[in-house]
Amino acid sequence: MRDHTVSGLSQHYAGYDQMALIDRLRAAFVEAGINPDQLAPAQMAGLDQLHLGGRGASQRLLELGELSGVTRMLDVGCGTGGASRLLAQALGCKVVGVDITPAFIDVARWLSQACGLSSQTDFLCADAAKLPLASHSIQALWCQHALLNMPDRDAVLKEWRRVLVPGGLVLLHEVVAGANPEPLSLPVPWARRPEHSHLESRQALEQHLQHAGFRQLRLIDVTEPALSWRRHHGRREQQAAVIEKVALPGAQLLFGDDFTTMGRNLQANLANDRVRVIQGVWEMSGEPLER
């Protein structure tokens, strides 16, 4: 990933305010009357999992994965670390989270410390195409709404193969291009500009994984529940804006004042079939296929 792309993504996700992201969030908890160094999962919910469907979608993906006996997982594009903490709690395993946005890594470490999960989670700032991990050191890999920011899909999947043990699993929750070829309504939560969005169709993604040597085990389309969730949260966001009361810190503190516009655009893109949402599980099998 080129440096200007990396800096652009960091600016998109955490750079709209000169005040450090972690300082903004800590101040927001204090304003809400909450100790930022002692947090319960419900208090972190608005910051915890930055993807369609929230914690419920992560639980669904975990069930789809049918994991057992896993002691070490990798969360690619971990954001603020919500899925990493969920996995650590649910499976009792060690989870390494990787994200390219330094501010998110700072927040992920703080939140894990604040909820007592720092011993089970470790967070690294790195490019998914250049993972700072030993080969064959990961049993299962988790990725939610992150491939859409990665332009070099082949390099990323090659790294996934390298760090996974033989027969290791990939659990993927991804936004893909829909059947409607019209341009996306922007901004959306993963991109303000077209060059930061790297969507491909479900069929193209399946082919990429197959050619990289991953065998599909299960795949479901979760567009309808994702759209329902987005509509519900859109109504809640509008109500909160009208009431103007002090609330728990949420995604607007991460994305800025245009987060409401991002949500509306995402809902429109889902409703118009410009994007769809899938969840699936793949197993690392044979050698990559020649293209």
Side-chain angles (χ1 to χ4, degrees), residues 111-263:
L111 293 178
S112 282
Q113 181 71 40
C115 71
L117 284 171
S118 59
S119 64
Q120 284 182 257
T121 55
D122 188 21
F123 297 101
L124 306 173
C125 186
D127 188 333
K130 299 177 182 178
L131 294 169
L133 299 170
S135 298
H136 314 308
S137 61
I138 298 296
Q139 293 167 292
L141 185 149
W142 177 280
C143 184
Q144 292 185 276
H145 293 18
L147 279 175
L148 44 70
N149 279 140
M150 301 176 187
D152 194 346
R153 196 68 41 89
D154 291 335
V156 170
L157 296 182
K158 183 178 179 180
E159 274 293 87
W160 290 8
R161 283 191 60 87
R162 183 184 67 79
V163 301
L164 279 169
V165 301
L169 298 179
V170 170
L171 284 71
L172 185 62
H173 178 203
E174 188 66 0
V175 179
V176 296
N180 185 343
E182 294 179 4
L184 291 181
S185 294
L186 294 174
V188 287
W190 65 89
R192 286 182 171 85
R193 301 196 300 271
E195 61 266 29
H196 291 156
S197 181
H198 302 281
L199 298 180
E200 60 183 3
S201 69
R202 167 178 166 172
Q203 293 76 16
L205 179 58
E206 289 180 275
Q207 289 174 3
H208 264 111
L209 285 157
Q210 181 183 5
H211 279 277
F214 293 98
R215 180 172 66 93
Q216 183 177 299
L217 301 180
R218 291 172 288 281
L219 182 67
I220 58 175
D221 187 300
V222 293
T223 304
E224 288 306 315
L227 178 56
S228 296
W229 183 89
R230 183 56 251 168
R231 284 171 172 159
H232 172 71
H233 277 260
R235 289 192 293 268
R236 288 180 57 185
E237 290 159 6
Q238 290 175 351
Q239 292 168 358
V242 171
I243 296 173
E244 294 184 341
K245 66 176 182 179
V246 175
L248 291 172
Q252 185 165 342
L253 285 173
L254 302 175
F255 294 99
D257 293 337
D258 56 355
F259 177 70
T260 301
T261 302
M262 291 178 179

Side-chain angles (χ1 to χ4, degrees), residues 17-78:
D17 191 325
Q18 290 185 349
M19 184 179 183
L21 177 61
I22 192 169
D23 294 334
R24 292 203 305 269
L25 298 177
R26 289 180 65 88
F29 277 114
V30 171
E31 185 179 358
I34 298 169
N35 182 350
D37 294 313
Q38 294 181 359
L39 297 173
Q43 294 170 325
M44 299 186 295
L47 306 170
D48 214 26
Q49 301 199 38
L50 307 176
H51 51 260
L52 282 160
R55 190 176 181 88
S58 294
Q59 292 281 9
R60 185 192 301 116
L61 181 59
L62 182 57
E63 293 169 3
L64 192 67
E66 299 179 359
L67 299 176
S68 63
V70 173
T71 60
R72 187 171 171 85
M73 289 192 68
L74 173 63
D75 181 6
V76 177
C78 65

